[in-house]
Structure formats: C-alpha cells, structure tokens
Amino acid sequence: MEATTGTRLPRKLTDKDQATRARILEHAAVLVYTRGVHATNNEQHRRAAGVSGSQLNHYFPTKESPVLAVIARQAGRPTDSAASCSAGCAC
C-alpha cells in the first residue's frame, strides 16, 4: 500500500530474493576483503555474483550499500572469514 508521501512501504523478501541478496553480499564480502573497499565497485560485485545491474540496484540501490551491508554482516559475525566464498567462485 502506498503511503501518502508516495513512497512504497518495504516488502518482505521472498526466499528467492533472500538467496539472491545473500549471493551478492557473499561475493561483495570476498571482493572487499581481498581487494579493499577503494579497489572494488558495483560492476565487480555484479559480475562476481552473476546478476544484472538492475538486480544489484534492486537489493543495493547505492554505490555504498553493498560495502555497508558487508560491514554490518561482518560486525555481527566477527569470527567469520570473508576469504572463503561459499559459492565456490574465484572472486
């Protein structure tokens, strides 16, 4: 339902949406860990995760949002190592 300001209310992600977002985030974490924040960009995140630009922008609408999501995820799991990508790619 639309709010009176014309903004959409957040929708719940489906299982498929959650899996796609998690895949993008996993690959972004590997890229940030191996190359550093300043040496990565959204095109690299998109290619590594195998998604389209519109998919990346759907889940992470700003240039900073994948990096901020990686930081938030890592802060919640400090013993997790981003160096091993569970998707088995060569990021």
Side-chain angles (χ1 to χ4, degrees), residues 11-88:
R11 68 178 178 89
K12 184 177 178 184
L13 295 178
T14 65
D15 289 343
K16 184 178 177 182
D17 289 337
Q18 290 175 1
T20 301
R21 186 180 189 283
R23 185 173 78 243
I24 295 168
L25 186 57
E26 180 71 28
H27 289 283
V30 172
L31 288 169
V32 167
Y33 180 79
T34 59
R35 298 180 184 179
V37 172
H38 294 293
T40 60
N41 59 49
N42 282 1
E43 178 62 19
Q44 292 168 335
H45 298 309
R46 184 197 68 73
R47 278 188 274 136
V51 298
S52 68
S54 62
Q55 279 182 304
L56 180 69
N57 290 334
H58 175 74
Y59 299 107
F60 300 100
T62 68
K63 183 176 165 181
E64 297 83 12
S65 57
V67 174
L68 293 174
V70 166
I71 292 168
R73 185 182 90 161
Q74 294 303 105
R77 299 188 312 177
T79 59
D80 186 19
S81 172
S84 61
C85 179
S86 66

Side-chain angles (χ1 to χ4, degrees), residues 36 78 91:
C91 296

